[in-house]
């Protein structure tokens, strides 16, 4: 369902234009959203755009990272387990981004060391400059092929030891290709003097200049928005023209940011820097944002997760793509989604009805391990028995199968072998291809990953929603419905409404008589776009809005 930008052969030799996005002062400013928003501006102007994210950590990818620390692991069509920022690139650009567009320090060093072992450097010293820097440049250029614009976001902030080689690499690319440097920085608001302070940004720009980069544009995050005196100071001290200082105050929704930038002429100013003319507008995007903001009717949706709270904090980015998918669907269904995350362990201690009756619908998202699993099962039982709309994603489908087996098909104690290896009814078992990976402790990039096709049963609920029989969704899991129990579950009323083309793997389940009860082994949340909401989420949100 996602539209890919297919590069015609004649374009493949085109010299790319780069927009490098770097950070100042602190992390967590939303540099990824800024990068994605710039991408949207240029795409809406009729240019082809792709995005590359550089993460300075040594991990090869985000797949082995704890969600509570690093947030969601985004999965690409081609099976990458990558940084969540790339999810925003896909959503804002409305196109697929391949896994190679997420570069990490680990990947760069691994590749250089492998080349060294293969004598690819002809026996000379292999060094940071030029070899590591060249590797980074090559990787960026590989992703650039054929696009009018390549946005490259360098993780971290100026002055970090970790991103030094990456800044060197983008400085060199900037000498060889047409480019613009954009720095995203922060202006803290001091209440006692009632003003935004510019000094940290001044220092951040100085740090960037130490590696030979002067920003062409400054995008300044703040609580309250920048005023003229502050712009004047920054222009004088950071050597950035006032018209290229872009105000980026806190807003309600990230989807407003392209519009906020457009009002300040950012797209046109960037195009002018490259000698290009504007040739489009953001009207489609604006229509989506208007729909999102104008919807009056509220629907309350609960997400039952294991990674909800951590110490004293609530996580907002562990189920990021699920949250965004609900928002896309809500806008198109003309409702306001009020989303709440519920720690699943609570549903093991308290009566689920007490906690869940305030919701119009429940989503059980993906997850790993045993914590809170019974709470998820209790939530699903509550939905099934009370005709409350339910959508299950990956582990959410596995727990729905377990719940049905236990409470509707007479298999008391049924479970997934991930949680209970000795269960009498292993209705969820390990994928054959995964056994050895676990035995060998081969955990990185070794799950069933990326896009797989599925065939939907004609006349089923999911078939009606997708409006077609053949679909493709992204996966990230090791376990699946155990084929030995399918007949028994079916005769108890559970419908397997989608399978792999060879019918071996169960990809969708549903209960047709229910208001909405559907689940998938896949992660459809990675395919939802603001301008193209995902049919499953749309169906679910619409059902939540029905009395
Ligand atoms: N832990 C389950 C599995 O590996 C589900 C994974 C998920 O929800 N992404 O199969």
């Amino acid at each position: 369902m996602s539209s890919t930008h297919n590069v015609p052969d004649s374009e493949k030799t085109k010299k790319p234009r780069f927009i490098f996005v770097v950070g100042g002062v602190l992390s967590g400013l939303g540099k990824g959203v800024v990068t994605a928003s710039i991408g949207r501006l240029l795409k809406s102007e009729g240019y082809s755009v792709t995005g590359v994210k550089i993460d300075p950590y040594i991990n090869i990818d985000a797949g082995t990272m704890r969600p509570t620390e690093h947030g969601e692991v985004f999965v690409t069509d081609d099976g990458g387990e990558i940084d969540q920022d790339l999810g925003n690139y896909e959503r804002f650009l409305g196109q697929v981004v391949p896994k190679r567009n997420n570069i990490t320090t680990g990947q760069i060093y691994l590749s250089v060391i492998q080349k060294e072992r293969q004598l690819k450097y002809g026996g000379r010293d292999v060094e940071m400059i030029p070899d590591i820097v060249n590797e980074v440049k090559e990787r960026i250029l590989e992703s650039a092929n054929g696009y009018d614009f390549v946005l490259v976001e360098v993780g971290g902030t100026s002055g970090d030891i970790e991103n030094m080689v990456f800044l060197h690499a983008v400085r060199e690319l900037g000498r060889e290709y047409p480019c613009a440097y954009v720095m995203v920085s922060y202006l803290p608001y001091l209440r006692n003097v009632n003003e935004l302070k510019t000094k940290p940004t001044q220092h951040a720009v100085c740090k960037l200049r130490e590696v030979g980069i002067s920003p062409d544009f400054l995008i300044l995050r703040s609580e309250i928005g920048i005023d003229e005196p502050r712009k004047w100071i920054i222009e004088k001290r950071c050597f950035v023209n006032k018209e290229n200082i872009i105000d980026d105050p806190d807003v309600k929704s990230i989807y407003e940011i392209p519009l906020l930038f457009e009002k300040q002429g950012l797209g046109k100013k960037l195009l002018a820097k490259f000698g290009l003319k504007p040739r489009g507008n953001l009207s489609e995007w604006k229509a989506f944002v208007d729909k999102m903001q104008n919807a009056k009717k509220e629907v309350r949706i609960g997400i039952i997760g294991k990674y909800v709270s951590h110490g004293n904090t609530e996580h907002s980015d562990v189920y990021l793509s699920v949250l965004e998918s609900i928002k896309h669907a809500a806008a198109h269904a003309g409702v306001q989604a009020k989303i709440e995350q519920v720690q699943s362990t609570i549903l093991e201690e308290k009566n689920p009805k007490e906690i869940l009756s305030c919701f119009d619908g429940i989503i059980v998202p993906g997850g790993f391990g045993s914590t809170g699993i019974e709470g998820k099962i209790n939530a699903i039982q509550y939905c099934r028995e009370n005709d409350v709309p339910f959508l299950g994603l990956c582990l959410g489908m596995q727990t729905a199968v377990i719940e049905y087996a236990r409470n509707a098909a007479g298999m008391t104690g049924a479970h997934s072998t991930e949680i209970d290896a000795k269960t009498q009814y292993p209705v969820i078992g390990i994928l054959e291809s995964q056994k050895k990976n676990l035995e060998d402790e081969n955990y990185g990039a070794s799950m069933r990953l990326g896009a797989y096709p599925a065939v939907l049963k004609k006349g089923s609920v999911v078939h009606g929603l997708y409006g077609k029989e053949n679909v493709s969704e992204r996966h990230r899991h090791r376990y699946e419905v155990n084929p030995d129990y399918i007949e028994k579950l079916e005769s108890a009323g559970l419908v397997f409404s989608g399978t792999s083309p060879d019918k071996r793997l169960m990809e969708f389940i549903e209960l047709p008589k229910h208001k909405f009860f559907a689940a998938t082994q896949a992660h459809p949340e990675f395919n939802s776009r603001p301008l193209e909401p995902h049919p499953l989420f749309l169906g679910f949100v619409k059902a939540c809005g029905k009395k």
Side-chain angles (χ1 to χ4, degrees):
M1 55 172 295
S2 348
S3 45
T4 319
H5 172 72
N6 290 320
V7 180
D9 283 343
S10 59
E11 301 256 297
K12 287 205 170 139
T13 50
K14 198 158 64 181
K15 196 169 183 176
R17 303 174 189 88
F18 289 103
I19 296 174
F20 299 112
V21 181
V22 300
V25 179
L26 42 92
S27 63
L29 291 176
K31 215 164 0 116
V33 171
V34 166
T35 307
S37 298
I38 295 174
R40 181 75 244 174
L41 291 183
L42 297 171
K43 195 163 174 178
S44 297
E45 291 291 3
Y47 293 90
S48 63
V49 185
T50 192
V52 174
K53 166 87 194 282
I54 297 176
D55 282 309
Y57 46 68
I58 294 172
N59 306 55
I60 296 292
D61 57 35
T64 51
M65 290 183 187
R66 216 178 304 141
T68 45
E69 204 163 289
H70 194 72
E72 172 183 88
V73 176
F74 190 77
V75 180
T76 58
D77 257 357
D78 61 354
E81 298 174 286
I82 64 175
D83 188 84
Q84 54 177 279
D85 279 332
L86 284 278
N88 280 325
Y89 296 0
E90 287 206 347
R91 287 187 278 268
F92 279 68
L93 292 175
Q95 75 193 34
V96 165
V97 175
K99 67 177 168 193
R100 64 156 191 249
N101 286 24
N102 190 189
I103 301 172
T104 70
T105 297
Q107 292 170 17
I108 297 295
Y109 276 80
L110 185 66
S111 164
V112 168
I113 291 167
Q114 277 164 350
K115 286 182 186 166
E116 183 274 329
R117 295 286 81 186
Q118 294 160 351
L119 264 181
K120 295 261 167 70
Y121 296 101
R124 65 171 173 79
D125 282 10
V126 182
E127 300 195 74
M128 208 65 150
I129 299 177
D131 300 298
I132 295 288
V133 168
N134 280 347
E135 188 72 25
V136 176
K137 287 167 67 183
E138 268 170 44
R139 278 292 305 276
I140 295 174
L141 286 167
E142 257 175 49
S143 296
N145 224 348
Y147 287 93
D148 293 326
F149 283 100
V150 187
L151 288 145
V152 181
E153 177 190 349
V154 183
T157 49
S158 59
D160 294 351
I161 297 176
E162 293 88 340
N163 66 12
M164 232 23 137
V165 284
F166 296 115
L167 291 175
H168 269 273
V170 304
R171 184 189 70 130
E172 282 194 16
L173 282 172
R175 287 159 57 87
E176 296 158 16
Y177 294 87
C179 91
Y181 293 102
V182 175
M183 182 179 229
V184 182
S185 189
Y186 184 60
L187 304 177
Y189 170 60
L190 279 198
R191 220 162 285 276
N192 57 341
V193 288
N194 193 25
E195 66 180 46
L196 295 175
K197 304 304 286 181
T198 62
K199 192 68 80 186
T201 291
Q202 294 177 35
H203 285 299
V205 172
C206 284
K207 273 282 164 208
L208 192 61
R209 281 205 302 265
E210 278 176 18
V211 291
I213 298 173
S214 286
D216 301 298
F217 291 84
L218 279 175
I219 296 190
L220 297 175
R221 296 276 299 107
S222 67
E223 258 179 77
I224 57 167
I226 190 169
D227 55 2
E228 281 306 308
R230 257 42 66 178
K231 272 197 184 173
W232 185 84
I233 293 176
I234 292 168
E235 175 174 42
K236 293 291 164 226
R237 294 180 183 246
C238 299
F239 314 110
V240 175
N241 294 341
K242 212 164 75 176
E243 60 273 16
N244 289 357
I245 298 172
I246 306 293
D247 189 19
D248 186 9
D250 293 347
V251 282
K252 270 208 197 108
S253 157
I254 53 170
Y255 300 112
E256 290 171 45
I257 294 171
L259 302 174
L260 185 80
F261 288 172
E262 185 59 6
K263 263 197 209 132
Q264 300 173 70
L266 179 58
K268 293 182 179 57
K269 287 173 191 171
L270 276 166
L271 288 177
K273 172 138 186 40
F274 292 93
L276 297 171
K277 292 206 161 37
R279 45 190 200 196
N281 62 60
L282 275 174
S283 54
E284 242 194 310
W285 194 264
K286 186 168 185 313
F288 161 74
V289 174
D290 286 346
K291 264 194 265 177
M292 194 170 69
Q293 288 172 337
N294 295 336
K296 296 266 171 318
K297 185 179 171 175
E298 243 182 56
V299 297
R300 295 196 62 186
I301 294 171
I303 299 184
I304 317 298
K306 132 182 201 189
Y307 316 105
V308 169
S309 49
H310 185 57
N312 290 334
T313 53
E314 277 259 317
H315 294 296
S316 56
D317 59 358
V318 172
Y319 303 112
L320 186 70
S321 294
V322 177
L323 301 176
E324 297 311 313
S325 302
I326 298 171
K327 291 178 202 163
H328 306 159
H332 289 266
V335 295
Q336 278 294 341
K338 292 274 167 242
I339 312 170
E340 221 179 282
Q341 305 186 118
V342 180
Q343 183 75 33
S344 51
T345 40
I346 294 175
L347 302 166
E348 295 172 355
E349 296 143 21
K350 292 200 174 139
N351 178 0
K353 195 164 193 165
E354 234 174 76
I355 294 164
L356 303 179
S357 57
C358 60
F359 295 115
D360 298 307
I362 297 289
I363 293 183
V364 176
F368 294 82
S370 59
T371 308
I373 201 98
E374 293 301 326
K376 293 182 180 189
I377 295 170
N378 292 344
I380 297 167
Q381 182 176 13
Y382 161 79
C383 290
R384 186 175 58 79
E385 292 178 349
N386 295 283
D387 207 24
V388 175
F390 161 75
L391 178 62
L393 311 169
C394 202
L395 183 66
M397 169 170 133
Q398 297 177 353
T399 40
V401 171
I402 295 168
E403 192 281 319
Y404 205 79
R406 286 183 188 178
N407 303 322
M411 295 183 247
T412 310
H415 225 317
S416 162
T417 55
E418 179 183 5
I419 320 293
D420 177 5
K422 296 199 180 81
T423 170
Q424 195 187 344
Y425 301 107
V427 287
I428 306 293
I430 187 133
L431 280 160
E432 213 30 62
S433 55
Q434 290 296 332
K435 277 191 185 148
K436 189 141 170 46
N437 284 335
L438 287 188
E439 278 161 25
D440 297 348
E441 295 184 352
N442 174 21
Y443 298 122
S446 66
M447 285 185 247
R448 181 182 181 217
L449 285 172
Y452 283 86
V455 182
L456 305 180
K457 200 179 232 166
K458 273 195 197 140
S460 63
V461 173
V462 292
H463 179 229
L465 292 173
Y466 279 89
K468 56 185 177 187
E469 251 179 279
N470 294 299
V471 300
S472 167
E473 294 290 0
R474 300 179 191 181
H475 288 250
R476 181 173 187 252
H477 60 107
R478 288 203 165 86
Y479 295 81
E480 60 164 331
V481 175
N482 183 343
D484 296 345
Y485 292 90
I486 290 169
E487 239 183 78
K488 210 164 167 196
L489 288 162
E490 268 178 340
S491 54
L494 187 64
V495 174
F496 291 92
S497 45
T499 67
S500 57
D502 65 5
K503 299 196 169 55
R504 236 182 43 77
L505 304 172
M506 299 300 113
E507 301 282 30
F508 290 84
I509 60 163
E510 62 186 59
L511 291 175
K513 293 204 189 88
H514 199 276
K515 192 168 176 187
F516 187 98
F517 192 104
T520 171
Q521 186 56 76
H523 287 281
E525 68 270 25
F526 297 134
N527 273 333
S528 177
R529 314 272 188 250
L531 303 184
E532 222 185 324
H534 193 284
L536 272 186
F537 282 89
L538 195 56
F540 167 73
V541 169
K542 279 184 180 165
C544 293
K546 274 189 203 139
K547 273 282 157 275

